Each structure stands twice: as C-alpha cells, then as structure tokens.
Amino acid sequence: MQKHILLLNICGLVLFGHAAASETEFKPSHWGQFIFENDAFGVLEPTDDGYSNGVGYAWGDSVVQGFDDIDMPAWIRAASDWSYINQGNEGQYSISYAILQGMYTPSDLDTEQLLTDDRPYAGVLLWQAKLRQYDDNVATSLALNLGVVGPASLAQQTQGVIHAIIDARDPQGWDNQLENEAVFRIESEYLHRFGQLALTDNVATDVSFYSQAGLGNLRSDAGFGLTFRIGSGLNETYASINPTASHSANPYAYMSDKGFNWMLFFSAYGGYVLNDITLDGNTFKDSHSVELINEQGQLSMGFAMRWGSWGILFSTLRGSDHFEGQISDTNYGAASISYHY
C-alpha cells in the first residue's frame, strides 16, 4: 500500500512539474516583426516618390528586470555599460535588433538623366541595435545604426521587386544614385507619459511627451512631440511610442500577454535637421544634392492590435517639405506584422 502511495506521489510530482513547465514554456519570450513602408499608403494624395519604399525585419527578447540580465553581445554591453541606460536593477529593460532598407526617389521616375532640381536617388541599408530602460511612466533608449548608402544597399533591386508586385512604375534613374558610403547614426530618446484616464476596466487614454536626438553622417537632428493614445494595455506599451511612421515597431511586441489588445494613436512632431545624406549627398565625394530644409514637422496616426501570438500595426504620416523646391508632399504609411514565440 505504501509503495502504491509513493508511486502515486511520484507520478503526481512528474505530472505537476510537466504542467508547470508547459505553462512556463507557453509564455512567449521572443518576437519577430516584418515591416513594410510605401508612399502609396499615404491617406491623402498618395504618390510614388520621395521616401518611396522601406522594408525591414526586427526582433528581440522578452523584457528583463535588470541591466545585467540583458542578453547582448559583449561589445554592446561594454559600449552601453557606462551610459544613462544602465540604471542597475531599477525599472525594466529590453533590447531589439533590426535590418532596415530604405529607398528614396525624385518625382519624375521616367527620366534616365540626372534631375538636378529634385532629390537624389538614394538607397540605405542599416543594421540597428536598440536598448530601452523604463520605469514609472518614463522611458529612455539608446540606439546604434550602422550601414551603407549607395548601390551596395541593393535598394534598386528591392524596389524593382516591390514595384513589380504592386504594379507600380519602375524608376529609370537609379544610375544616378548616391555613391557607396558607410554610414552611422547614434540616437537617444526620452519619453514621459502623463494624463492617463481610465474610460472602462480595459480601455484608457494617455498622452506622452517624446523627444529625441541623433548624430551621424546618415542623419543628425533633434526634436520633440506629443502622442495621444486610446486603447488597452497602455501601461505596458508606452515605452515604445514613436511619433513617426518610419520603421514603426508594434508596441505590443514587448508584451508577453497573449490576450487581445488594441490602440489608436495620434502624434505631432517637430524637429531641426542638421544633415541628411539622402538629401545632402555623399559626405566625401561629389554627388547630386538639394538644399535641405532644417525645420521639419509631421503629423501621424494609426492603430495597433495584438491577438494571441500575432500583432499588426498600420500608421500613416504627413509632413512638411524636406528640401527647397520639393514638388510632392511628404506622405507615406507603414504596416507591420509581428509574431511572439
């Protein structure tokens, strides 16, 4: 009898342990996200020039409770250990990576000759690593972008494939694109969430102040803005707010909860741009360029959802002119789909 009781206890422990392990394994700890941007997504007067296309893939791990617990390469840890991101065990931390590609074209896509009065053809291919720290409705981030501009970005080939799929015009002037050049950008973000208001048990609103600054031959700028949101899960997602549509990350990508969440968001942003290689041309070589407008502003809006392991996001942006003599409006959208595993 005692042997039977002992056997039952052992079986119970095994089953309980297996169930607990299964429950632990069920919680997603990684995420991946495909990003697609196109000016044809613009809500008002969609075009096929300016910032024409953008594609990317981003990925990361679940949030951790201390800087030392972040799983990252030793060289990134050494470079960020002394920075403001390292707050020890205060707050929560996350790291994400991305491969991003952008394509920029002038308004006249049918001309093979150099268009001296319009923006240059430019392609950019980037690798990004981004660290976040957040606590008590305040979030900061530090990101490094490394890559190349020019034919080595393979932007011409990617745009050809995309335009063939969506049945758009094939730009004829890529022979005039910027020359190959290594590019970098270091960027910092600060966000303060305030004005939270619960509308129901699951739905709330909030407002966030956002500021950022970046430095590099890719782009150097600084600016600030405000974002208004309404939806669910806002307490867990404020740290990833960004008022631009470009390379938008689904804020629900950082949540481990597999339930249903949604949000609508509206943003206004203004900044001062010191340099932008896609407009200023190559740094160390003679190339086509246009006169950059330093003061720039933009409005954006969109929605995001998360249902189980899947998430989707769509946002659209409308901005001021980026260079003197700009013909078409700054107007494009971004869509992404994410998966948690």
Side-chain angles (χ1 to χ4, degrees):
M1 183 66 177
Q2 290 181 343
K3 292 182 178 179
H4 290 166
I5 293 175
L6 179 61
L7 182 60
L8 289 173
N9 287 336
I10 293 174
C11 291
L13 288 172
V14 171
L15 291 174
F16 178 79
H18 178 73
S22 297
E23 184 176 347
T24 301
E25 292 169 1
F26 181 76
K27 185 177 181 179
S29 59
H30 311 281
W31 58 270
Q33 181 170 260
F34 288 99
I35 303 163
F36 180 68
E37 300 170 332
N38 196 286
D39 48 6
F41 289 168
V43 174
L44 299 175
E45 300 176 0
T47 60
D48 200 20
D49 53 25
Y51 179 49
S52 178
N53 292 119
V55 293
Y57 178 73
W59 68 96
D61 297 330
S62 60
V63 173
V64 296
Q65 301 301 316
F67 183 82
D68 291 340
D69 296 326
I70 306 175
D71 184 12
M72 57 181 165
W75 70 271
I76 295 181
R77 182 173 296 279
S80 59
D81 183 67
W82 54 269
S83 72
Y84 60 87
I85 289 294
N86 184 2
Q87 298 296 319
N89 293 322
E90 295 184 13
Q92 296 178 299
Y93 295 84
S94 68
I95 186 169
S96 61
Y97 305 93
I99 300 294
L100 307 167
Q101 188 181 48
M103 300 132 231
Y104 302 82
T105 59
S107 298
D108 185 355
L109 303 181
D110 298 322
T111 301
E112 296 182 3
Q113 288 74 27
L114 177 65
L115 299 171
T116 58
D117 59 348
D118 206 340
R119 70 174 304 145
Y121 277 86
V124 180
L125 181 62
L126 299 172
W127 172 87
Q128 181 191 83
K130 189 169 190 176
L131 283 164
R132 280 190 175 90
Q133 189 275 341
Y134 54 99
D135 189 27
D136 295 331
N137 294 315
V138 173
T140 57
S141 75
L142 183 63
L144 172 65
N145 297 273
L146 299 173
V148 64
V149 64
S153 71
L154 303 178
Q156 177 182 359
Q157 291 81 355
T158 301
Q159 188 179 57
V161 173
I162 293 174
H163 280 207
I165 294 174
I166 65 176
D167 194 25
R169 290 179 297 168
D170 187 21
Q172 301 299 307
W174 274 105
D175 288 343
N176 304 303
Q177 69 175 302
L178 300 184
E179 299 294 333
N180 285 329
E181 180 178 334
V183 294
F184 78 96
R185 172 178 162 88
I186 300 172
E187 58 189 51
S188 172
E189 295 174 312
Y190 170 83
L191 183 143
H192 182 200
R193 176 177 177 249
F194 62 94
Q196 301 96 309
L197 176 64
L199 301 180
T200 69
D201 291 341
N202 299 317
V203 178
T205 65
D206 65 14
V207 180
S208 295
F209 169 79
Y210 171 92
S211 62
Q212 70 88 28
L215 180 66
N217 66 329
L218 174 65
R219 179 182 170 96
S220 299
D221 65 315
F224 61 90
L226 291 173
T227 297
F228 169 81
R229 300 188 301 165
I230 180 172
S232 60
L234 303 188
N235 290 336
E236 293 79 22
T237 57
Y238 70 89
S240 59
I241 292 174
N242 189 306
T244 70
S246 182
H247 303 311
S248 294
N250 191 329
Y252 292 120
Y254 301 95
M255 292 181 64
S256 60
D257 177 25
K258 300 190 74 171
F260 175 75
N261 289 283
W262 65 274
M263 73 172 69
L264 301 173
F265 52 89
F266 308 86
S267 297
Y269 176 84
Y272 189 90
V273 182
L274 292 173
N275 62 279
D276 182 339
I277 196 170
T278 68
L279 297 172
D280 296 325
N282 289 108
T283 308
F284 307 106
K285 299 179 181 179
D286 290 333
S287 64
H288 174 45
S289 64
V290 290
E291 186 175 350
L292 172 71
I293 296 177
N294 301 113
E295 301 84 2
Q296 298 180 14
Q298 58 197 32
L299 299 172
S300 61
M301 60 183 294
F303 68 89
M305 295 182 184
R306 165 80 181 274
W307 194 347
S309 295
W310 294 94
I312 60 171
L313 177 144
F314 178 80
S315 59
T316 185
L317 178 148
R318 191 170 183 86
S320 62
D321 287 352
H322 291 177
F323 62 94
E324 298 291 346
Q326 182 172 330
I327 299 174
S328 299
D329 294 331
T330 303
N331 182 26
Y332 64 90
S336 70
I337 181 168
S338 57
Y339 182 75
H340 303 70
Y341 57 97

Short mmCIF file of all heavy atoms in Angstrom, two decimals, residues 33 36 38 46 88 97 111 117 123 134 148 151 154-155 159 185 187 201 219 227 246-247 263 278 288 308 314 322:
data_model
loop_
_atom_site.label_atom_id
_atom_site.label_comp_id
_atom_site.label_asym_id
_atom_site.label_seq_id
_atom_site.Cartn_x
_atom_site.Cartn_y
_atom_site.Cartn_z
N GLN A 33 9.31 40.72 -36.23
CA GLN A 33 8.37 41.64 -36.88
C GLN A 33 8.84 42.04 -38.27
O GLN A 33 9.99 42.47 -38.45
CB GLN A 33 8.22 42.89 -36.01
CG GLN A 33 7.25 43.92 -36.57
CD GLN A 33 6.95 45.00 -35.56
OE1 GLN A 33 5.94 45.01 -34.89
NE2 GLN A 33 7.87 45.94 -35.42
N PHE A 36 6.86 46.98 -43.56
CA PHE A 36 6.77 47.43 -44.95
C PHE A 36 6.23 48.84 -44.98
O PHE A 36 5.20 49.14 -44.37
CB PHE A 36 5.87 46.50 -45.78
CG PHE A 36 5.75 46.91 -47.21
CD1 PHE A 36 6.84 46.84 -48.07
CD2 PHE A 36 4.55 47.39 -47.71
CE1 PHE A 36 6.73 47.22 -49.40
CE2 PHE A 36 4.43 47.77 -49.05
CZ PHE A 36 5.53 47.69 -49.89
N ASN A 38 5.49 52.35 -47.62
CA ASN A 38 5.33 52.77 -49.02
C ASN A 38 4.55 54.07 -49.06
O ASN A 38 3.59 54.25 -48.30
CB ASN A 38 4.61 51.69 -49.83
CG ASN A 38 4.77 51.89 -51.33
OD1 ASN A 38 4.16 52.77 -51.90
ND2 ASN A 38 5.60 51.06 -51.95
N PRO A 46 -1.75 59.96 -52.33
CA PRO A 46 -0.60 59.05 -52.33
C PRO A 46 0.21 59.21 -53.61
O PRO A 46 -0.32 59.39 -54.69
CB PRO A 46 -1.26 57.67 -52.24
CG PRO A 46 -2.66 57.85 -52.74
CD PRO A 46 -3.04 59.24 -52.33
N GLY A 88 21.07 49.87 -13.35
CA GLY A 88 21.14 48.73 -12.45
C GLY A 88 19.88 47.90 -12.49
O GLY A 88 19.45 47.43 -13.55
N TYR A 97 16.81 44.33 -32.22
CA TYR A 97 17.67 44.48 -33.38
C TYR A 97 16.80 44.62 -34.63
O TYR A 97 15.64 44.20 -34.64
CB TYR A 97 18.60 43.27 -33.53
CG TYR A 97 19.43 42.97 -32.31
CD1 TYR A 97 18.98 42.06 -31.35
CD2 TYR A 97 20.66 43.58 -32.11
CE1 TYR A 97 19.75 41.77 -30.23
CE2 TYR A 97 21.43 43.30 -30.99
CZ TYR A 97 20.97 42.40 -30.05
OH TYR A 97 21.71 42.12 -28.94
N THR A 111 12.47 59.53 -66.19
CA THR A 111 13.66 60.14 -66.81
C THR A 111 14.92 59.43 -66.36
O THR A 111 15.14 59.24 -65.17
CB THR A 111 13.75 61.64 -66.44
OG1 THR A 111 12.56 62.30 -66.89
CG2 THR A 111 14.97 62.27 -67.08
N ASP A 117 17.12 69.43 -60.13
CA ASP A 117 16.23 70.24 -59.30
C ASP A 117 15.36 69.39 -58.39
O ASP A 117 14.39 69.89 -57.80
CB ASP A 117 15.35 71.14 -60.18
CG ASP A 117 14.51 70.35 -61.16
OD1 ASP A 117 14.77 69.13 -61.32
OD2 ASP A 117 13.59 70.93 -61.77
N GLY A 123 19.66 54.85 -51.82
CA GLY A 123 19.27 53.63 -51.12
C GLY A 123 20.09 53.48 -49.86
O GLY A 123 21.29 53.79 -49.85
N TYR A 134 12.91 51.60 -18.81
CA TYR A 134 11.71 52.37 -18.47
C TYR A 134 11.17 51.98 -17.11
O TYR A 134 11.32 50.85 -16.65
CB TYR A 134 10.63 52.20 -19.54
CG TYR A 134 10.25 50.78 -19.88
CD1 TYR A 134 9.11 50.20 -19.32
CD2 TYR A 134 11.01 50.02 -20.76
CE1 TYR A 134 8.74 48.91 -19.64
CE2 TYR A 134 10.66 48.72 -21.08
CZ TYR A 134 9.52 48.18 -20.51
OH TYR A 134 9.16 46.88 -20.81
N VAL A 148 25.16 51.24 -44.96
CA VAL A 148 25.76 51.76 -46.19
C VAL A 148 24.69 52.46 -47.01
O VAL A 148 23.51 52.08 -46.99
CB VAL A 148 26.40 50.61 -47.00
CG1 VAL A 148 25.35 49.61 -47.47
CG2 VAL A 148 27.19 51.15 -48.19
N PRO A 151 24.81 51.89 -54.17
CA PRO A 151 24.43 50.63 -54.84
C PRO A 151 24.56 49.41 -53.93
O PRO A 151 23.81 48.44 -54.08
CB PRO A 151 25.41 50.56 -56.01
CG PRO A 151 25.77 51.98 -56.30
CD PRO A 151 25.78 52.68 -54.96
N LEU A 154 21.54 47.70 -52.25
CA LEU A 154 20.63 46.86 -53.03
C LEU A 154 19.21 47.42 -53.07
O LEU A 154 18.26 46.69 -53.31
CB LEU A 154 20.60 45.42 -52.50
CG LEU A 154 21.95 44.69 -52.45
CD1 LEU A 154 21.78 43.30 -51.85
CD2 LEU A 154 22.57 44.62 -53.83
N ALA A 155 19.09 48.71 -52.86
CA ALA A 155 17.76 49.35 -52.84
C ALA A 155 17.11 49.29 -54.23
O ALA A 155 15.89 49.09 -54.34
CB ALA A 155 17.88 50.79 -52.38
N GLN A 159 13.47 47.66 -54.74
CA GLN A 159 12.35 48.46 -55.23
C GLN A 159 11.78 47.88 -56.52
O GLN A 159 10.56 47.90 -56.73
CB GLN A 159 12.79 49.90 -55.47
CG GLN A 159 11.60 50.81 -55.80
CD GLN A 159 12.01 52.24 -56.02
OE1 GLN A 159 12.85 52.52 -56.88
NE2 GLN A 159 11.42 53.15 -55.26
N ARG A 185 24.73 56.24 -37.27
CA ARG A 185 23.90 57.19 -36.51
C ARG A 185 23.73 56.65 -35.10
O ARG A 185 23.38 55.49 -34.91
CB ARG A 185 22.54 57.40 -37.17
CG ARG A 185 21.54 58.22 -36.35
CD ARG A 185 20.24 58.40 -37.12
NE ARG A 185 19.13 58.80 -36.26
CZ ARG A 185 18.82 60.06 -35.95
NH1 ARG A 185 19.55 61.04 -36.43
NH2 ARG A 185 17.80 60.34 -35.18
N GLU A 187 21.54 57.44 -31.70
CA GLU A 187 20.35 58.21 -31.36
C GLU A 187 19.87 57.90 -29.95
O GLU A 187 20.05 56.79 -29.43
CB GLU A 187 19.23 57.96 -32.36
CG GLU A 187 18.82 56.51 -32.49
CD GLU A 187 17.86 56.28 -33.65
OE1 GLU A 187 18.18 56.74 -34.78
OE2 GLU A 187 16.81 55.66 -33.43
N ASP A 201 -12.92 49.38 -17.54
CA ASP A 201 -11.96 48.49 -16.87
C ASP A 201 -10.80 48.13 -17.78
O ASP A 201 -9.69 47.86 -17.30
CB ASP A 201 -12.67 47.21 -16.41
CG ASP A 201 -13.64 47.46 -15.27
OD1 ASP A 201 -13.51 48.50 -14.61
OD2 ASP A 201 -14.53 46.61 -15.06
N ARG A 219 22.31 60.90 -40.60
CA ARG A 219 21.36 61.97 -40.28
C ARG A 219 21.67 62.49 -38.89
O ARG A 219 21.95 61.71 -37.98
CB ARG A 219 19.92 61.45 -40.36
CG ARG A 219 18.83 62.47 -40.03
CD ARG A 219 17.46 61.79 -40.09
NE ARG A 219 16.39 62.62 -39.58
CZ ARG A 219 15.60 63.40 -40.33
NH1 ARG A 219 15.78 63.41 -41.63
NH2 ARG A 219 14.65 64.12 -39.79
N THR A 227 2.13 62.49 -28.22
CA THR A 227 1.34 61.37 -28.74
C THR A 227 0.14 61.14 -27.83
O THR A 227 0.29 61.04 -26.60
CB THR A 227 2.17 60.08 -28.82
OG1 THR A 227 3.23 60.27 -29.76
CG2 THR A 227 1.31 58.91 -29.28
N SER A 246 7.94 56.00 -39.74
CA SER A 246 9.08 55.30 -40.33
C SER A 246 9.56 54.15 -39.45
O SER A 246 9.84 54.31 -38.28
CB SER A 246 10.23 56.29 -40.54
OG SER A 246 11.31 55.66 -41.15
N HIS A 247 9.63 52.98 -40.05
CA HIS A 247 10.10 51.77 -39.36
C HIS A 247 9.36 51.57 -38.05
O HIS A 247 9.96 51.34 -36.99
CB HIS A 247 11.61 51.81 -39.14
CG HIS A 247 12.39 51.99 -40.39
ND1 HIS A 247 12.16 51.23 -41.52
CD2 HIS A 247 13.37 52.84 -40.73
CE1 HIS A 247 12.99 51.60 -42.48
NE2 HIS A 247 13.73 52.58 -42.02
N MET A 263 -5.08 49.58 -29.83
CA MET A 263 -4.92 51.01 -29.56
C MET A 263 -5.00 51.82 -30.84
O MET A 263 -4.68 51.33 -31.93
CB MET A 263 -3.59 51.30 -28.87
CG MET A 263 -2.36 51.19 -29.76
SD MET A 263 -0.84 51.77 -28.96
CE MET A 263 -0.61 50.52 -27.73
N THR A 278 20.65 61.50 -47.58
CA THR A 278 19.80 61.23 -48.74
C THR A 278 19.42 62.51 -49.47
O THR A 278 18.94 62.46 -50.60
CB THR A 278 18.52 60.48 -48.32
OG1 THR A 278 17.69 61.34 -47.53
CG2 THR A 278 18.85 59.22 -47.55
N HIS A 288 25.17 64.47 -56.46
CA HIS A 288 23.98 65.32 -56.57
C HIS A 288 23.40 65.57 -55.17
O HIS A 288 23.41 64.69 -54.30
CB HIS A 288 22.95 64.64 -57.47
CG HIS A 288 21.65 65.35 -57.53
ND1 HIS A 288 21.53 66.72 -57.70
CD2 HIS A 288 20.37 64.89 -57.44
CE1 HIS A 288 20.26 67.07 -57.73
NE2 HIS A 288 19.54 65.98 -57.56
N GLY A 308 -3.48 36.96 -29.39
CA GLY A 308 -2.68 35.76 -29.23
C GLY A 308 -1.23 36.04 -29.54
O GLY A 308 -0.64 36.99 -29.02
N PHE A 314 -0.65 49.60 -38.38
CA PHE A 314 -0.65 50.45 -39.56
C PHE A 314 -0.60 51.89 -39.11
O PHE A 314 -1.32 52.29 -38.19
CB PHE A 314 -1.89 50.23 -40.42
CG PHE A 314 -1.93 51.14 -41.62
CD1 PHE A 314 -1.19 50.84 -42.75
CD2 PHE A 314 -2.67 52.32 -41.60
CE1 PHE A 314 -1.19 51.69 -43.85
CE2 PHE A 314 -2.67 53.17 -42.69
CZ PHE A 314 -1.93 52.85 -43.82
N HIS A 322 10.91 68.66 -47.05
CA HIS A 322 12.23 68.34 -46.54
C HIS A 322 13.35 69.07 -47.27
O HIS A 322 14.47 69.12 -46.77
CB HIS A 322 12.47 66.83 -46.63
CG HIS A 322 11.63 66.04 -45.68
ND1 HIS A 322 11.64 64.65 -45.63
CD2 HIS A 322 10.75 66.43 -44.72
CE1 HIS A 322 10.79 64.23 -44.69
NE2 HIS A 322 10.26 65.29 -44.14
#
